[in-house]
Structure formats: structure tokens, C-alpha cells
Amino acid sequence: MGGAAAALSQKQLLSYWEAAEEASHKPTSAEVLGPFFRKGAPDQRVLRAAGDPGFPLKVSGRVLNTKGEIVEGAKVDLWHADHGGLYDTKGYKYRAKLSPDAKGVYGVDTVMPGHYADRPAQHIHYLITAPGHKTLITQAYFATDPFYEGNPDKNWNKIAEHRELVLPVKLFEGGATAAQPAHAEITFDIVLEKA
Ligand SMILES: [Fe+2]
């Protein structure tokens, strides 16, 4: 063995590996809370009622720490405007406070949020808490949003503060029954920092 290889001890290799792991789970960027948060949303997975206008949307993801491990006891508050760009400021339509499952996964069945004048890009607001971790307030955006004119890489900062929050959108054709409509899906994994 040459001197260079010998100089890299097991301990150093492990620390490099840990650093690489850490870097691959960068804490999710924060964004503004906005004026429409309401406390007390129910833990409900199905936000879309039959006949709701708007394109069906499935949102899911995991709540992880910076090592990529599932965060125990996380609560995921999410809320968004309806198809017409209006928030329910009296009730809890399109609002949920979710407890992720044993695999750290949260998810809702909802509709694609509409646009509204103050913030004319589709988005979902998030507030995530977990014991021993910093509370995170952020938002998810949609790369398919016409607001980005087909080029979110160029136009993301017209509204989002962080490019990585403009998420890829998968589109699915409908199934044979009304229970399987054509829909969009986004995956938004959230990485929390230790408090
Ligand atoms: Fe908003």
C-alpha cells in the first residue's frame, strides 16, 4: 500500500462518507408563512370532494432528518387555495394537519391549487413540527405551472425563493372508473434540522 492510501484512516473515510450523506439530505428551504394559515386543521387525507372543480392532485412525501432517517412524531400542516385561488378562511377546506405513518410518509388527495393575484403561482403552504427539530415553514410549487412559461429553471424566482421547491409534476391518465380520475402527483420530501 502506498503512503496516500495509508494516510486515509478508516475514521477519515467514515467521516467523508458521513459528510456526503449529510450533504445529500440538505434541510428543506424555508419560505414565508403567508396570511392564510389556520390552526386546528383536522388530520384528513382526502381533501377533494366529489365534484370539486380543479384537476385532481396527489401530494405525498416523507419527513426526514439530515441523515435521511424518519423523524418521529412529526406533524405536517398543509393548506392551499381552491381551484379558483381562494382560501377557506372560515373552515378547513384544503387544509390538513397530518401525522406521517410509520414509514414517515404523509399524503393527501386534493386538487391543483388555483392562482391568485397576490401570489400568481400555484403553491401549497407547509408548516412542519417535530420534537427535537426546528419548525419549518415552507411552500411547494409546480414546475408545470403556466406561470413559469414552460421554463421553471429560468423563471422560478419570479415567485419562489428556492428553485428546488418548484417540484416536478407527474401526470396520469384516468382509469376505467370515476374512482381513478386523471390526476397529477407531486412528491415533496421534507428534511428538518435538529433544534
Ligand atoms: Fe398562498
Side-chain angles (χ1 to χ4, degrees), residues 33-36 79-81 87 116 119 123 125 139:
L33 180 67
F36 296 113
W79 65 104
H80 67 81
Y87 285 89
Y116 60 96
R119 305 200 65 243
H123 59 277
H125 294 271
Q139 298 179 46

Short mmCIF file of all heavy atoms in Angstrom, two decimals, residues 33-36 79-81 87 116 119 123 125 139, ligand 1:
data_model
loop_
_atom_site.label_atom_id
_atom_site.label_comp_id
_atom_site.label_asym_id
_atom_site.label_seq_id
_atom_site.Cartn_x
_atom_site.Cartn_y
_atom_site.Cartn_z
N LEU A 33 -44.72 32.31 5.69
CA LEU A 33 -45.95 31.67 6.17
C LEU A 33 -47.17 32.13 5.36
O LEU A 33 -48.04 31.33 5.05
CB LEU A 33 -46.17 31.99 7.65
CG LEU A 33 -47.41 31.40 8.31
CD1 LEU A 33 -47.31 29.88 8.39
CD2 LEU A 33 -47.62 32.00 9.70
N GLY A 34 -47.21 33.40 5.02
CA GLY A 34 -48.39 33.94 4.34
C GLY A 34 -49.52 34.17 5.33
O GLY A 34 -49.46 33.74 6.48
N PRO A 35 -50.57 34.85 4.89
CA PRO A 35 -51.63 35.27 5.81
C PRO A 35 -52.75 34.25 6.03
O PRO A 35 -53.67 34.53 6.80
CB PRO A 35 -52.19 36.52 5.11
CG PRO A 35 -51.98 36.26 3.65
CD PRO A 35 -50.72 35.44 3.55
N PHE A 36 -52.69 33.09 5.39
CA PHE A 36 -53.88 32.22 5.39
C PHE A 36 -53.77 30.97 6.24
O PHE A 36 -54.63 30.09 6.17
CB PHE A 36 -54.25 31.85 3.95
CG PHE A 36 -54.65 33.03 3.12
CD1 PHE A 36 -53.86 33.46 2.06
CD2 PHE A 36 -55.82 33.74 3.41
CE1 PHE A 36 -54.22 34.57 1.31
CE2 PHE A 36 -56.18 34.85 2.66
CZ PHE A 36 -55.39 35.27 1.61
N TRP A 79 -51.82 23.62 3.59
CA TRP A 79 -53.03 24.34 3.19
C TRP A 79 -52.79 25.01 1.85
O TRP A 79 -51.65 25.37 1.52
CB TRP A 79 -53.47 25.34 4.26
CG TRP A 79 -52.54 26.49 4.54
CD1 TRP A 79 -52.69 27.79 4.12
CD2 TRP A 79 -51.32 26.46 5.32
NE1 TRP A 79 -51.63 28.55 4.59
CE2 TRP A 79 -50.79 27.78 5.32
CE3 TRP A 79 -50.62 25.46 6.01
CZ2 TRP A 79 -49.62 28.11 5.98
CZ3 TRP A 79 -49.44 25.80 6.67
CH2 TRP A 79 -48.96 27.10 6.66
N HIS A 80 -53.86 25.09 1.07
CA HIS A 80 -53.72 25.72 -0.24
C HIS A 80 -55.05 26.29 -0.71
O HIS A 80 -56.11 25.97 -0.16
CB HIS A 80 -53.15 24.73 -1.26
CG HIS A 80 -54.03 23.57 -1.61
ND1 HIS A 80 -55.05 23.66 -2.53
CD2 HIS A 80 -54.05 22.28 -1.16
CE1 HIS A 80 -55.64 22.47 -2.65
NE2 HIS A 80 -55.06 21.62 -1.82
N ALA A 81 -54.97 27.14 -1.71
CA ALA A 81 -56.16 27.77 -2.29
C ALA A 81 -56.94 26.75 -3.10
O ALA A 81 -56.39 25.75 -3.57
CB ALA A 81 -55.75 28.94 -3.18
N TYR A 87 -58.78 30.88 -0.52
CA TYR A 87 -58.56 30.08 0.68
C TYR A 87 -59.84 30.02 1.49
O TYR A 87 -60.62 30.99 1.51
CB TYR A 87 -57.48 30.71 1.55
CG TYR A 87 -56.09 30.52 1.01
CD1 TYR A 87 -55.55 31.44 0.12
CD2 TYR A 87 -55.32 29.43 1.39
CE1 TYR A 87 -54.27 31.27 -0.39
CE2 TYR A 87 -54.05 29.26 0.90
CZ TYR A 87 -53.53 30.18 0.01
OH TYR A 87 -52.26 30.00 -0.49
N TYR A 116 -53.84 33.15 -7.57
CA TYR A 116 -54.49 34.37 -7.05
C TYR A 116 -53.55 35.55 -7.22
O TYR A 116 -52.33 35.39 -7.36
CB TYR A 116 -54.99 34.20 -5.62
CG TYR A 116 -53.98 33.87 -4.55
CD1 TYR A 116 -53.42 34.87 -3.77
CD2 TYR A 116 -53.62 32.55 -4.30
CE1 TYR A 116 -52.53 34.57 -2.75
CE2 TYR A 116 -52.72 32.25 -3.29
CZ TYR A 116 -52.18 33.26 -2.51
OH TYR A 116 -51.30 32.96 -1.51
N ARG A 119 -50.09 36.24 -5.28
CA ARG A 119 -49.00 35.29 -5.48
C ARG A 119 -49.38 34.38 -6.65
O ARG A 119 -49.89 33.28 -6.46
CB ARG A 119 -48.74 34.47 -4.21
CG ARG A 119 -48.47 35.39 -3.01
CD ARG A 119 -47.75 34.68 -1.89
NE ARG A 119 -46.43 34.27 -2.31
CZ ARG A 119 -46.02 32.99 -2.39
NH1 ARG A 119 -46.82 32.02 -2.07
NH2 ARG A 119 -44.80 32.71 -2.76
N HIS A 123 -49.30 27.04 -5.46
CA HIS A 123 -48.43 26.61 -4.36
C HIS A 123 -49.23 25.99 -3.23
O HIS A 123 -50.43 26.24 -3.09
CB HIS A 123 -47.61 27.80 -3.83
CG HIS A 123 -48.46 28.93 -3.33
ND1 HIS A 123 -48.97 29.88 -4.19
CD2 HIS A 123 -48.91 29.24 -2.10
CE1 HIS A 123 -49.68 30.75 -3.50
NE2 HIS A 123 -49.69 30.38 -2.22
N HIS A 125 -48.86 25.61 0.96
CA HIS A 125 -48.13 26.05 2.15
C HIS A 125 -47.93 24.88 3.09
O HIS A 125 -48.80 24.02 3.22
CB HIS A 125 -48.92 27.13 2.89
CG HIS A 125 -49.08 28.41 2.14
ND1 HIS A 125 -48.17 29.43 2.23
CD2 HIS A 125 -50.05 28.83 1.30
CE1 HIS A 125 -48.58 30.44 1.47
NE2 HIS A 125 -49.72 30.10 0.90
N GLN A 139 -43.06 26.14 1.26
CA GLN A 139 -44.09 26.01 0.25
C GLN A 139 -43.60 25.08 -0.85
O GLN A 139 -42.40 25.00 -1.10
CB GLN A 139 -44.42 27.39 -0.38
CG GLN A 139 -44.97 28.39 0.63
CD GLN A 139 -45.27 29.74 0.02
OE1 GLN A 139 -45.87 29.83 -1.04
NE2 GLN A 139 -44.85 30.79 0.69
FE FE B 1 -50.70 31.19 -0.57
#
